[in-house]
Amino acid sequence: MTDAMLEKAHKNQALLGLANAGFRRGEMEQMPIANASIDMIISNCVINLSPDKDRVFVEAHRVLRPGGRLMLADLATGGELPAELPTTEAWTGCIGGAREAQGGRVCRCTGGDVHEWQPLMLSVKIKAVKAQQSCV
């Protein structure tokens, strides 16, 4: 989030009287949030912008409390992107960083359930709940 976006989020939070929501500035690969302290993470087409998507999911798992939810909308490709596609323009349009849904998997197990999708899916909306126990 930019400073302007964060300021707007805080203003809207105050305007609506939302005591159960919080907004913080940080990197999704290293969140400034305590372990197992978050009820829900909402992400709208930003994980594609990270060069280390696995780290993003590890961090999400770290900060979610048991039973916490991850709600995201992002892009996944049905195959390898053409070499000319991952350009600056493609990255800013979210497709340049899209992860290939190899074997129907986009997320790997990081201590919770593994979610699988149909191969060839170009857009996915994922609702995930952190398991009460580790799958390790």
Side-chain angles (χ1 to χ4, degrees):
M1 296 179 91
T2 65
D3 289 336
M5 293 166 71
L6 195 56
E7 183 180 336
K8 184 174 183 175
H10 284 127
K11 283 182 181 177
N12 286 333
Q13 180 181 16
L15 180 68
L16 296 171
L18 301 176
N20 64 343
F23 307 93
R24 297 183 181 116
R25 184 167 179 111
E27 301 293 325
M28 62 186 142
E29 298 88 355
Q30 188 174 1
M31 297 181 205
I33 300 170
N35 294 351
S37 62
I38 300 295
D39 294 319
M40 179 181 283
I41 297 171
I42 301 171
S43 173
N44 186 14
C45 202
V46 295
I47 295 174
N48 278 344
L49 302 177
S50 173
D52 191 356
K53 291 159 191 55
D54 288 337
R55 182 73 203 147
V56 173
F57 287 107
V58 167
E59 274 294 281
H61 187 268
R62 180 186 68 78
V63 303
L64 283 171
R65 67 170 175 73
R69 295 167 298 197
L70 171 65
M71 303 289 287
L72 67 94
D74 226 313
L75 299 173
T77 67
E80 191 172 331
L81 293 174
E84 67 275 4
L85 189 55
T87 63
T88 302
E89 184 178 325
W91 272 92
T92 59
C94 288
I95 191 63
R99 169 179 262 172
E100 183 177 351
Q102 295 176 336
R105 286 189 179 179
V106 174
C107 298
R108 292 188 178 93
C109 177
T110 59
D113 294 331
V114 175
H115 296 274
E116 297 187 15
W117 300 283
Q118 298 290 324
L120 304 177
M121 190 174 293
L122 298 177
S123 179
V124 295
K125 289 188 180 180
I126 303 166
K127 177 182 178 182
V129 176
K130 181 177 175 181
Q132 295 293 331
Q133 293 182 324
S134 175
C135 66
V136 177

